[in-house]
Amino acid sequence: MKFALVTGGSRGIGKAICLEIAKQGYHVLINYRSNTEEAEDTLNQIKNNGGSGELMQFDVSNPEDIKTSLDNWKEKNPDSVIEVLINNAGIRKDALIVWMKDEDWKDVLNTNLDSFYYITKHLIQDMIVNKYGRIVNVVSLSGIKGLPGQTNYSAAKGGVIAASKALAQEVAKKNVTVNCVAPGFIKTDMTAELEEKDYKRMIPMNRFGNAEEVANVVSFLASPKASYITGEVISVNGGLYT
Ligand code: NAP
């Protein structure tokens, strides 16, 4: 059995990624923080499509929680390797910097950037030894061009992009690829309060994207077919200039 871990797999883009990755034959470890009902729904959808998976609850912003969960899994599956890692879980807490609370800076950096470091570091050893691995990080338009009101989020996503480019060069010889997918405006809970009609005029395709449109690109980069692509950032944003 081949294993893939998708963080933030209970809702939105992560849910769509879990469904696509499962279609590749992976047993999907569906991480989430608190929404067990939605995580179970992801698992049921995978099973209804003939795939397999399991829930793996931990808080990606908490290094001890990450370590405990991944160590426990490895203890139960000593001979198994998680060969695909999708770092997708993320939050935003927007404010102009003059109004930003210190905890909103830290929460966003911990959840979006530090999580990349702790989870990737934990799993990459096995990928290197196994001489195969696919890491895909879900970043954002905000991390490429910077968006006002999102200094914390732009810093976190920009940090993941730079770290991915560095890591890609560290592990390329071992057949481990590291890429990023940068969505623009995608219809999920994260953007639920944004009125599409107010924003769509600035998007060349004149609409928000949907989670499946992001998941298709992530799934490709996570597959053996993307064997000669690493250190890249692919935008999925309806033509927004970055
Ligand atoms: P979403 O609908 O709000 O879903 C967020 C997911 O992340 C949920 O599964 C949530 O789990 C999980 N999560 C959040 N904090 C977590 C934590 N500390 N530990 C574990 N899981 C956690 O978000 P989305 O729109 O799908 O976003 C997915 C990714 O795409 C994020 O990295 C986001 O920054 C990025 N992105 C989104 C957009 C967009 O327009 N939607 C644009 C650019 C980039 P629970 O269900 O348990 O809360």
Side-chain angles (χ1 to χ4, degrees):
M1 203 182 264
K2 299 188 300 174
F3 296 90
L5 168 62
V6 180
T7 68
S10 50
R11 291 183 288 124
I13 293 169
K15 185 186 279 271
I17 293 171
C18 287
L19 297 177
E20 282 304 314
I21 297 281
K23 286 182 198 160
Q24 287 188 35
Y26 281 101
H27 178 87
V28 183
L29 310 178
I30 305 161
N31 160 260
Y32 66 106
R33 178 183 42 188
S34 54
N35 200 330
T36 307
E37 204 176 310
E38 282 298 326
E40 276 171 353
D41 177 71
T42 305
L43 181 56
N44 286 336
Q45 287 194 44
I46 288 175
K47 286 181 178 166
N48 289 342
N49 293 342
S52 75
E54 66 189 276
L55 303 191
M56 192 187 256
Q57 181 180 22
F58 62 83
D59 179 350
V60 302
S61 71
N62 181 334
E64 280 146 37
D65 212 5
I66 293 169
K67 187 175 180 325
T68 308
S69 297
L70 295 178
D71 282 349
N72 284 345
W73 186 85
K74 191 71 184 173
E75 235 169 70
K76 288 185 201 137
N77 303 274
D79 301 322
S80 304
V81 173
I82 297 174
E83 64 176 41
V84 169
L85 165 62
I86 315 295
N87 286 305
N88 162 78
I91 55 165
R92 62 183 183 87
K93 292 191 174 181
D94 299 351
L96 296 175
I97 201 163
V98 286
W99 305 116
M100 190 170 289
K101 298 189 191 98
D102 291 354
E103 67 253 36
D104 290 350
W105 174 268
K106 286 183 188 144
D107 280 355
V108 169
L109 268 287
N110 285 340
T111 306
N112 296 286
L113 176 61
D114 290 12
S115 61
F116 158 82
Y117 168 72
Y118 287 108
I119 300 169
T120 305
K121 189 177 171 184
H122 203 98
L123 297 181
I124 203 157
Q125 193 92 18
D126 268 358
M127 294 184 191
I128 290 170
V129 171
N130 204 34
K131 292 199 174 57
Y132 184 84
R134 294 279 182 271
I135 299 170
V136 185
N137 302 310
V138 180
V139 293
S140 171
L141 171 77
S142 186
I144 299 175
K145 72 184 291 251
L147 289 177
Q150 294 195 325
T151 49
N152 50 359
Y153 188 73
S154 297
K157 296 299 195 183
V160 173
I161 290 171
S164 301
K165 290 180 179 179
L167 180 62
Q169 295 172 68
E170 289 183 18
V171 296
K173 277 200 186 99
K174 300 294 178 187
N175 205 20
V176 177
T177 64
V178 188
N179 291 292
C180 295
V181 172
F185 291 94
I186 307 298
K187 274 181 258 179
T188 67
D189 294 344
M190 188 179 267
T191 51
E193 88 280 14
L194 303 179
E195 286 285 349
E196 188 173 352
K197 65 176 168 39
D198 297 337
Y199 290 85
K200 70 179 187 183
R201 265 172 291 129
M202 63 184 189
I203 304 169
M205 284 196 182
N206 206 34
R207 64 172 178 88
F208 282 9
N210 57 55
E212 290 71 27
E213 290 173 309
V214 180
N216 287 334
V217 179
V218 172
S219 174
F220 168 67
L221 290 172
S223 76
K225 286 182 183 169
S227 49
Y228 204 52
I229 304 173
T230 197
E232 271 303 318
V233 184
I234 299 185
S235 290
V236 182
N237 63 21
L240 272 170
Y241 185 67
T242 52

